[in-house]
Amino acid sequence: MRAVVFAGTSICHEDAKAILDAVYLPPVARGDMEKVVSQGYDIIGIIDGMFFDRAAVAHKEILHAMKKGIAVVGGCSMGALRASELDVHGMIGVGKIYEWYRDGVLESDDEVAVTTNPETFEPVSVPLVNIRETLQAAYDEGVIDESIRLSLLNIAMELHYPLRSYLGIIKTAVDKGILSEKEPLLNYCLNNETDVKRADAILVLEKIKELMKK
């Protein structure tokens, strides 16, 4: 069986290839699905995708692929968004972020949005889903209390997605008197980030590997 995966932001192609032998393409945009449908792939994986600055992959593109008998697996970022909307039509969703969107825990697309390097597609801002999980971990480990966690999360949510960074969020909190100093929490976040997007990207690859063995 042959698989093609749209990724590059939540997990780089080199790391992905170490997990799954597949063809890897940059994050999916409108029209990209149509190009690969006719190329003989049995499975299409959607991890990362373009939106806001470019037209996002359309629902009808994914539905068309599935009508052709191609299994479509999604999770992590754009894949999670589309899987939560199309799982009733047969798209396979995996991972924590997919489940959050499916269950209505998250609704806004900007929860997974990041600014990327236009050449490498690597993220240069931090996705809100990672910020949520990292602040929750900091609370669970006693680094911050619940009121500070919620205040920091509100600061992050109020920022436009390209501006989200741990330094910016924590500096704002210090300026507002929410935190007395920035280094302890900043060091925690930078050294102990809960990268839920990468974890979910790996789950997409592992699900495709499982399907390829059937």
Side-chain angles (χ1 to χ4, degrees):
M1 298 184 75
R2 298 179 64 226
V4 59
V5 180
F6 293 97
T9 300
S10 302
I11 187 169
C12 69
H13 289 179
E14 183 179 357
D15 288 352
K17 288 175 182 176
I19 299 169
L20 173 70
D21 182 15
V23 173
Y24 289 91
L25 297 176
V28 67
R30 184 74 55 86
D32 290 341
M33 287 283 290
E34 297 293 338
K35 296 174 184 176
V36 301
V37 161
S38 62
Q39 294 175 3
Y41 294 105
D42 304 287
I43 305 170
I44 297 174
I46 302 177
I47 293 175
D48 298 307
M50 307 298 289
F51 49 106
F52 296 130
D53 53 346
R54 284 186 62 188
V57 59
H59 299 78
K60 65 180 182 180
E61 295 178 77
I62 298 171
L63 291 170
H64 175 67
M66 291 191 293
K67 286 178 181 177
K68 291 286 187 179
I70 302 171
V72 182
V73 182
C76 177
S77 192
M78 177 58 74
L81 287 166
R82 289 294 179 262
S84 71
E85 297 157 340
L86 297 174
D87 53 4
V88 293
H89 298 287
M91 186 172 177
I92 301 167
V94 296
K96 184 177 287 188
I97 299 169
Y98 155 70
E99 292 173 355
W100 284 339
Y101 279 115
R102 179 197 64 192
D103 298 340
V105 176
L106 300 179
E107 295 182 354
S108 175
D109 292 1
D110 92 327
E111 290 276 351
V112 294
V114 293
T115 297
T116 61
N117 180 313
E119 295 183 359
T120 66
F121 298 105
E122 291 177 311
V124 293
S125 63
V126 182
L128 187 53
V129 287
N130 282 10
I131 294 169
R132 284 182 181 276
E133 290 293 274
T134 301
L135 292 177
Q136 182 64 49
Y139 166 72
D140 292 342
E141 295 179 28
V143 178
I144 55 175
D145 63 29
E146 178 68 354
S147 64
I148 290 176
R149 183 189 73 82
L150 291 173
S151 295
L152 292 167
L153 183 56
N154 285 333
I155 291 170
M157 293 174 67
E158 289 171 359
L159 288 170
H160 189 35
Y161 76 90
L163 303 177
R164 289 176 181 145
S165 70
Y166 292 112
L167 175 60
I169 293 163
I170 293 169
K171 185 177 183 303
T172 299
V174 171
D175 292 343
K176 290 185 174 184
I178 297 168
L179 292 172
S180 59
E181 54 182 341
K182 71 176 190 294
E183 276 73 19
L185 182 57
L186 180 60
N187 289 336
Y188 175 88
C189 291
L190 294 179
N191 295 320
N192 301 278
E193 181 183 24
T194 304
D195 194 346
V196 65
K197 286 188 73 175
R198 181 180 174 85
D200 278 9
I202 292 171
L203 290 178
V204 172
L205 300 175
E206 290 177 342
K207 182 61 177 181
I208 294 172
K209 182 187 289 188
E210 175 188 323
L211 293 173
M212 292 175 75
K213 292 179 180 178
K214 291 184 178 179

